[in-house]
């Protein structure tokens, strides 16, 4: 057991738990809007926490473990397609943007499915999206834990189950009890670790080896194609551009990222985060990824890429330094998973349970239930990570792309186009998702040589437009809610109240109106 | 005075004036994304496509196509948003009714 590595990691876990305790105590002091506090931190984030919680949640094992592994096996082309995530802070926050942030306050939206429920008012849309979110995010969390645990096992010597249960239990505890604030603050700490990790890994590796010269000589011997395009990854221009669609433009609708678009306190905060974020993400993304080829000097001939860079770091660096550096991938994983747990919990409690089972669920009970459901979700993920079932592989492949195909058109087009209706949304979701699955599984030709998300999204968009023109337009109330001033909304609510015989709707009952 | 009325089967109502600005900002994001995709893909293709390893030139230890399309472009595009925001984005209250919350730490 390599204690010099274990100790920094244990310290890091300790800090996470401390943040959880602090956030839990903050929660206890809040007596109003407890659900918004639990799931959104009360919409109070300043730019510093916002930028790090967004980017840390976005960058995960893929950026720090899987990605370098792909670079090791397939060359610089993999770095090329990964940089499309660099402008996330700007693109994601600006595309959903201020309209989304304002609407979330007007309509008390806490999850992305809340948005879909109010906009389309149709159970099919709500249920398909909610179930999709739950399934895909749970599926995505499992390989995060598995991949991270495998790396830690190899570098610390501690056994797999102990490691898995320890660090997933820490995530579960601080997330379930501390809620969004614990999530966001821990993300900030984790994001800084990821940023420093990205910077430091370049410095220490390159100085230990003496620059890229020796690396390039080795790679030229091993497989010079790693330097080329299209390279072993097959990166043609249209394939490259389709990665940009998935990692750049469509990223914003992933629920754990979209929720951040509702969580900042004012426009100054979001402006600053948008301005600063891309530079931070550039370092985080390029840091570990670009060093993937270095591993050929120390561990050539590995069949599975994931272990290449971690083992190299162990070889090249003193244990203490390596231990601190390993906190970065661990941080990347935990910061993504904590956001996803909360999203899944929110969807289950608000968009499934409260909407269809118990509409009079009080704010306080909702927050309490949220804690329990978060813990439950964490436990299920741990169970699946201990013994991953075979079919999980399928869900994982589809997780990010599938969610984007499902959600992008209904959310983004629905946000900006009045004609968009439930029929369009339902067709877009089912048609786009089916096309995506078929293109992935059985008919690769449907993807036209790109990442399947490209053609699937085009299909989704076409179906959305079709359905929106053929089906009935959205109700007047929806148009006023989503395009109207607060005065117009208030007036509309008053009119509908008069129509109901003068009974003022309670806040909960108003939400009960919409299915 | 009503802020909503029906005329020619089209609902007229008072719209939130902030959304126009928000729409413009979303367009900036899309335009930026298109530009980034085109520059990265274009540069990589122009400088590096279907060149075998011995045809590649290297800058600072990286293949030239990589250096320009990945490293330099990312750095340049990482600073562009700050400029776009300063020139074209507006600071607006995010409150329900569009009125700013009074006080220095007013949450909006």
């Amino acid at each position: 057991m390599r204690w010099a590595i274990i100790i920094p990691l244990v310290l890091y876990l300790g800090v996470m738990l401390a943040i959880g305790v602090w956030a839990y105590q903050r929660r206890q002091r809040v007596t109003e809007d407890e659900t918004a506090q639990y799931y959104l931190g009360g919409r109070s984030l300043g730019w510093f926490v916002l930028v790090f919680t967004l980017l840390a949640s976005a960058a995960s094992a893929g950026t720090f473990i899987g990605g370098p592994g792909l670079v090791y096996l397939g060359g610089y082309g993999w770095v090329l397609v990964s940089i499309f995530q660099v402008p996330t802070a700007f693109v994601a926050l600006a595309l959903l943007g201020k309209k989304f942030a304002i609407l979330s306050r007007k309509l008390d939206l806490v999850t992305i499915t809340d948005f879909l429920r109010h906009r389309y008012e149709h159970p099919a849309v709500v249920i398909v999206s909610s179930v999709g979110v739950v399934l895909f995010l749970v599926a995505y969390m499992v390989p995060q834990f598995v991949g991270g645990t495998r790396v830690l096992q190899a570098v610390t010597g501690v056994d797999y189950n102990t490691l898995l249960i320890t660090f997933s239990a820490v995530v579960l505890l601080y997330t379930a009890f501390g809620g969004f604030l614990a999530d966001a603050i821990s993300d900030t700490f984790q994001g800084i670790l990821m940023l420093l990790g990205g910077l430091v890994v370049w410095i220490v590796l390159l100085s230990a080896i003496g620059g890229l010269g020796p690396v390039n000589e080795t790679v030229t011997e091993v497989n010079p194609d790693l330097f080329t395009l299209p390279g072993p990854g097959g990166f043609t221009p249209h394939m490259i551009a389709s990665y940009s669609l998935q990692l750049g433009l469509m990223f914003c609708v992933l629920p754990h990222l979209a929720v951040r678009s509702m969580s900042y306190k004012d426009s100054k905060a979001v402006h600053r985060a948008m301005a600063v974020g891309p530079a931070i993400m550039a370092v985080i993304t390029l840091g570990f990824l670009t060093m993937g080829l270095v591993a050929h000097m120390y561990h050539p001939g590995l069949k599975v890429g994931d272990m290449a860079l971690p083992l190299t770091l162990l070889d090249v660096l003193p244990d203490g330094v390596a231990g601190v550096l390993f906190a970065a991938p661990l941080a990347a994983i935990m910061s993504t998973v904590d956001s996803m747990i909360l999203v899944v919990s929110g969807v289950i409690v608000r968009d499934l349970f409260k909407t269809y089972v118990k509409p009079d669920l009080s704010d306080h009970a909702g927050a309490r239930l949220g804690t329990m459901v978060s813990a439950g979700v964490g436990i299920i993920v741990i169970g699946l990570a201990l013994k991953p079932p075979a079919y999980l592989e399928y869900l994982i492949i589809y997780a990010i792309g599938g969610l984007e195909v499902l959600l992008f058109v209904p959310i983004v087009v629905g946000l900006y186009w009045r004609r968009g209706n439930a029929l369009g949304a339902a067709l877009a979701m089912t048609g786009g998702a089916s096309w995506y699955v078929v293109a992935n599984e059985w008919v690769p030709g449907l993807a036209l040589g790109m990442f399947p998300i490209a053609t699937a999204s085009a299909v989704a968009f076409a179906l959305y437009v079709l359905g929106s023109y053929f089906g009935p337009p959205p109700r007047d109330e929806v148009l006023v809610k989503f395009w109207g001033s607060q005065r117009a909304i208030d007036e509309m609510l008053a009119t509908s109240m008069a129509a109901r015989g003068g009974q003022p709707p309670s806040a909960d009952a108003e939400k009960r109106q919409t299915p | 005075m009503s802020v909503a009325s029906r005329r020619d089967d089209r609902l007229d109502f008072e719209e939130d004036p902030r959304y126009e600005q928000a729409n413009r900002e979303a367009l900036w994001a899309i335009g930026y994304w298109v530009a980034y995709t085109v520059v990265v893909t274009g540069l990589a293709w122009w400088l590096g496509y279907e060149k075998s390893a011995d045809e590649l030139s290297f800058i600072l230890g990286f293949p030239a196509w990589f250096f320009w399309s990945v490293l330099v472009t990312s750095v340049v595009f990482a600073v562009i948003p700050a400029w776009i925001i300063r020139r074209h984005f507006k600071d607006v209250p995010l409150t329900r009714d569009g009125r700013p919350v009074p006080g220095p730490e007013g949450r909006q």
Side-chain angles (χ1 to χ4, degrees), chain A residues 30-160:
Chain A
V30 168
T31 46
E32 276 188 333
D33 289 329
E34 289 184 52
T35 320
Q37 177 68 17
Y38 183 69
Y39 287 115
L40 269 186
R43 302 182 215 276
S44 65
L45 297 192
W47 72 270
F48 190 74
V49 174
L50 175 66
V51 74
F52 280 109
T53 183
L54 180 69
L55 298 178
S57 302
S60 64
T63 308
F64 283 82
I65 300 176
L70 287 169
V71 173
Y72 171 85
L73 291 174
Y76 277 131
W78 283 103
V79 186
L80 174 65
V81 294
S82 306
I83 40 142
F84 292 115
Q85 73 181 29
V86 165
T88 296
F90 178 57
V91 177
L93 288 174
L95 185 55
L96 285 185
K98 302 200 175 96
K99 178 163 180 180
F100 192 69
I102 291 169
L103 277 173
S104 81
R105 287 157 167 82
K106 281 187 178 167
L107 308 176
D108 190 27
L109 307 177
V110 160
T111 66
I112 201 82
T113 21
D114 276 351
F115 175 90
L116 291 171
R117 180 161 43 92
H118 283 267
R119 179 67 179 81
Y120 297 110
E121 301 190 316
H122 197 289
V125 174
V126 176
I127 293 179
V128 169
S129 58
S130 303
V131 171
V133 166
V134 171
L135 282 181
F136 285 137
L137 287 187
V138 169
Y140 192 73
M141 286 191 263
V142 174
Q144 296 287 317
F145 278 139
V146 171
T149 310
R150 285 208 188 115
V151 168
L152 282 184
Q153 175 186 31
V155 306
T156 59
V158 178
D159 100 283
Y160 181 90

Side-chain angles (χ1 to χ4, degrees), chain A residues 178-224:
Chain A
F180 187 84
L181 270 190
D183 178 0
I185 304 288
S186 68
D187 282 357
T188 308
F189 185 69
Q190 287 156 338
I192 294 173
L193 266 180
M194 290 154 70
L195 175 64
L196 290 177
L199 210 50
V200 168
V201 77
W202 269 55
I203 300 173
V204 294
L205 263 190
L206 291 180
S207 52
I209 307 171
L212 282 171
V215 181
N216 291 347
E217 281 170 25
T218 313
V219 174
T220 311
E221 272 171 61
V222 168
N223 182 3

Side-chain angles (χ1 to χ4, degrees), chain A residues 294-312:
Chain A
V294 173
H296 281 287
M297 285 184 62
Y298 294 86
H299 291 273
L302 287 179
K303 288 288 183 311
V304 175
D306 282 13
M307 295 309 306
L309 189 56
L311 290 176
T312 304

